[in-house]
Amino acid sequence: MKRFSVMMVGLMVGVGCASGPSMRVDENLLSGLPPGQMQGVINARAGRDAAVDAHTKAQQDALGARSQLKVAKTELELAKSEVEHSMAKAEISKNGSEADYQVAQDEVTLKEAIVTSKRHLVTLRGRQVELVDAREALAEVKLELAEAEVEAAKARAVQGLDKAAVRDISVSRFELQVSEYKSKVASAEQNVASVGVEVEEALKAYETANQRVEALRGTPAPPPPMTPTPATGAGMAPPGM
């Protein structure tokens, strides 16, 4: 029982935590360290702070992407209503001249092409949501890795202390914990890359549909909406139709 009590002073094992490293070094052990021995911990904490910022940014990007998906869905419903309106006009134009009827039919064709384009845009926005979600998950596991690296740095820093609790702190175990999180990061990065391929495919389909719309209009197609990146967030707004 005495050995167990000593271990709990220096090494804290997280219980019931949803995420983050389970092994942590008691902060109280760091109070007696000279500044020179704290540099590794300071550097690791700076890395963790950067990871916190990146995770916050990823969460904001996810909200932005969902907002753009909602807009795209609204635009699709509006485009569908415009098709119905154009079809009603075309039906009425049957009683007029052949030229008027052809104009009305051309408008129906254009409006239907716009609906197809908007459907592809909704698909694209949906894939972009999946991408920012994958990036948020990656940012979260990178934050957990940064926390594990802080704990490993703390474990290394206290090794020179002449305290009973330190003898129960195994640097190799903390380094193994870091390695486990690095594996999780690699897996999350692969998922981001996989979803990124789906985004590119959805973007190409949208571009093709949008080009048909512009061809029917007789105008050049505007640039497509950008794929979200860590720097651009949810991408720029799609061209108006």
Side-chain angles (χ1 to χ4, degrees):
M1 290 296 292
K2 181 178 181 180
R3 178 175 174 77
F4 177 79
S5 299
V6 170
M7 286 183 66
M8 291 306 292
V9 171
L11 178 62
M12 298 185 295
V13 179
V15 178
C17 296
S19 61
S22 59
M23 292 190 302
R24 298 178 184 270
V25 175
D26 190 345
E27 289 283 338
N28 293 325
L29 290 176
L30 303 177
S31 59
L33 292 177
Q37 286 182 238
M38 281 293 294
Q39 191 57 51
V41 177
I42 292 171
N43 293 342
R45 284 173 174 168
R48 179 188 59 193
D49 291 343
V52 169
D53 291 341
H55 185 233
T56 300
K57 174 65 165 55
Q59 291 176 317
Q60 293 171 345
D61 288 347
L63 291 176
R66 281 174 170 76
S67 177
Q68 292 216 11
L69 173 58
K70 184 177 180 180
V71 169
K73 288 180 177 179
T74 300
E75 291 178 352
L76 173 59
E77 293 307 311
L78 177 60
K80 288 179 180 179
S81 67
E82 290 180 352
V83 168
E84 294 176 0
H85 180 66
S86 295
M87 292 179 72
K89 287 173 60 179
E91 187 66 24
I92 295 173
S93 69
K94 287 181 178 180
N95 300 323
S97 67
E98 183 176 345
D100 289 342
Y101 180 66
Q102 186 59 52
V103 169
Q105 283 296 104
D106 289 345
E107 182 179 338
V108 171
T109 300
L110 173 60
K111 296 300 183 180
E112 288 177 337
I114 290 175
V115 167
T116 298
S117 179
K118 292 299 184 182
R119 283 199 178 103
H120 282 293
L121 182 58
V122 169
T123 299
L124 173 60
R125 292 308 192 199
R127 293 291 181 268
Q128 288 175 333
V129 167
E130 293 173 6
L131 181 58
V132 293
D133 282 348
R135 284 178 176 155
E136 183 181 349
L138 172 59
E140 182 175 351
V141 75
K142 280 186 173 181
L143 175 56
E144 292 171 351
L145 168 60
E147 291 174 347
E149 288 175 334
V150 168
E151 297 306 319
K154 287 160 61 178
R156 287 189 290 267
V158 301
Q159 287 306 296
L161 294 179
D162 185 18
K163 293 184 178 181
V166 174
R167 291 195 293 269
D168 297 304
I169 297 177
S170 170
V171 173
S172 61
R173 289 177 62 195
F174 280 91
E175 290 176 342
L176 176 60
Q177 182 171 244
V178 169
S179 297
E180 291 171 349
Y181 277 108
K182 285 183 177 179
S183 296
K184 292 181 180 180
V185 167
S187 177
E189 287 175 337
Q190 289 177 354
N191 186 47
V192 168
S194 177
V195 177
V197 171
E198 296 179 1
V199 170
E200 288 302 317
E201 292 174 351
L203 177 58
K204 290 177 181 177
Y206 169 73
E207 288 176 339
T208 299
N210 195 44
Q211 286 168 0
R212 181 167 187 270
V213 170
E214 299 309 324
L216 290 170
R217 282 175 169 165
T219 58
M226 293 174 61
T227 300
T229 65
T232 60
M236 67 185 201
M241 290 185 182

